[in-house]
């Protein structure tokens, strides 16, 4: 009986260790949708406005369906970064030679990346914001007063005009992503991986 208990303890320890070492995975796996999310931070939705003083100022103005669509995609991008933060920490020793041997450097670099991903927020904040962005997109996507594409505002002579099909495609893509992320199994798995990354960060900061 004692041997069985020791064997069980050993197998459990191996399982926990393997789980700790396994890389984090984001639930969204569709290649095309992943690319849309990955590209979203690079989409410029700013519009230049000339003020009364003659100075040019850039604003993010919600004047298009694309604005709400890309805001949702960016919220998914930020959520993904929290889920994959565990992998970011695991890869730091490859990027910083001193990371493994110098606890001070390890903590400083980890803190920089943690602040970049989380700032003052937690995983649940990013998750709820993603849901809010989806709700806002749904509320505005059919607004006939909204132009579809951002470039239509910047260039009135553009040949590529937004159509109802474009509106439907944006909403369809967003709905597919949203369904994936709010699926109970996926949501729990994503949160679990995000927690593992935060736990690894706290372990580093504790000096262990």
């Amino acid at each position: 009986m004692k041997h069985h208990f020791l064997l069980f303890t050993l197998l459990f320890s191996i399982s926990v260790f393997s789980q700790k070492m396994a890389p984090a995975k984001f639930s969204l796996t569709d290649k095309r949708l992943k690319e849309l999310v990955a590209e979203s931070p690079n989409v410029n939705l700013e519009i230049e406005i000339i003020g009364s003083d003659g100075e040019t100022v850039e604003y993010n103005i919600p004047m298009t369906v694309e604005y709400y669509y890309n805001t949702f995609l960016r919220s998914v991008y930020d959520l993904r970064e929290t889920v994959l933060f565990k992998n970011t920490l695991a890869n730091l020793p490859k990027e910083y030679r001193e990371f493994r041997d110098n606890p001070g450097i390890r903590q400083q670099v980890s803190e920089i990346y943690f602040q970049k991903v989380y700032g003052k927020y937690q995983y649940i904040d990013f998750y709820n914001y993603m849901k809010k962005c989806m709700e806002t997109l749904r509320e505005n996507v059919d607004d006939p007063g909204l132009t579809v594409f951002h470039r239509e505002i910047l260039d009135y002579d553009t040949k590529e005009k937004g159509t109802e099909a474009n509106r439907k495609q944006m909403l369809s893509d967003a709905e597919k992503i949203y369904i994936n992320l709010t699926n109970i199994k996926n949501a729990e798995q994503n949160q679990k991986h995000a927690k593992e990354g935060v736990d690894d960060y706290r372990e580093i900061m504790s000096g262990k």
Side-chain angles (χ1 to χ4, degrees):
M1 186 70 178
K2 183 178 180 181
H3 293 296
H4 289 312
F5 177 76
L6 291 175
L7 179 60
F8 173 79
T9 302
L10 177 61
L11 291 175
F12 178 77
S13 299
I14 292 175
S15 176
V16 171
F17 178 77
S18 299
Q19 188 177 52
K20 180 177 176 61
M21 298 302 294
K25 295 181 180 180
F26 192 48
S27 62
L28 187 66
T29 57
D30 182 280
K31 183 178 179 181
R32 186 178 67 84
L33 297 179
K34 283 172 61 178
E35 289 177 352
L36 289 174
V37 172
E39 294 168 359
S40 62
N42 299 320
V43 177
N44 183 11
L45 296 179
E46 292 185 335
I47 297 175
E48 291 188 352
I49 304 294
I50 300 177
S52 57
D53 57 358
E55 293 294 323
T56 299
V57 183
E58 292 185 339
Y59 293 97
N60 281 318
I61 302 178
M63 299 175 66
T64 65
V65 175
E66 187 179 24
Y67 173 89
Y68 293 106
Y69 172 61
N70 200 66
T71 298
F72 169 73
L73 293 179
R74 287 182 182 181
S75 74
V76 176
Y77 178 90
D78 291 339
L79 181 69
R80 186 193 69 171
E81 292 299 286
T82 68
V83 175
L84 300 181
F85 181 61
K86 176 182 179 180
N87 300 348
T88 300
L89 285 180
N91 289 329
L92 288 180
K94 302 174 185 177
E95 299 181 33
Y96 298 90
R97 186 175 57 185
E98 304 88 349
F99 191 89
R100 187 180 297 275
D101 301 323
N102 189 320
I105 295 294
R106 183 159 62 246
Q107 291 177 345
Q108 289 177 20
V109 175
S110 298
E111 176 66 16
I112 290 173
Y113 278 84
F114 179 82
Q115 290 301 325
K116 180 180 178 181
V117 172
Y118 278 96
K120 61 181 181 179
Y121 301 104
Q122 300 178 26
Y123 170 85
I124 193 62
D125 298 317
F126 290 96
Y127 182 76
N128 288 336
Y129 180 64
M130 177 275 297
K131 294 175 69 175
K132 181 179 179 181
C133 289
M134 185 65 211
E135 180 181 343
T136 305
L137 173 61
R138 286 170 174 162
E139 291 173 350
N140 290 279
V141 68
D142 292 323
D143 184 348
L146 286 179
T147 304
V148 177
F149 291 124
H150 187 71
R151 54 187 168 273
E152 291 182 70
I153 293 179
L154 301 181
D155 180 7
Y156 291 101
D157 297 323
T158 180
K159 295 180 180 179
E160 189 173 1
K161 299 291 184 181
T163 65
E164 292 307 306
N166 294 130
R167 290 178 189 265
K168 292 179 180 178
Q169 184 64 54
M170 288 180 185
L171 183 60
S172 175
D173 289 342
E175 291 285 7
K176 290 175 183 177
I177 295 172
Y178 184 79
I179 290 172
N180 177 286
L181 298 179
T182 55
N183 170 281
I184 294 178
K185 180 180 179 181
N186 289 345
E188 290 178 347
Q189 192 69 15
N190 285 335
Q191 187 169 20
K192 174 176 173 289
H193 287 310
K195 181 180 182 302
E196 289 172 356
V198 173
D199 288 344
D200 289 348
Y201 162 76
R202 288 174 177 167
E203 184 174 318
I204 291 172
M205 298 308 289
S206 70
K208 293 182 180 180

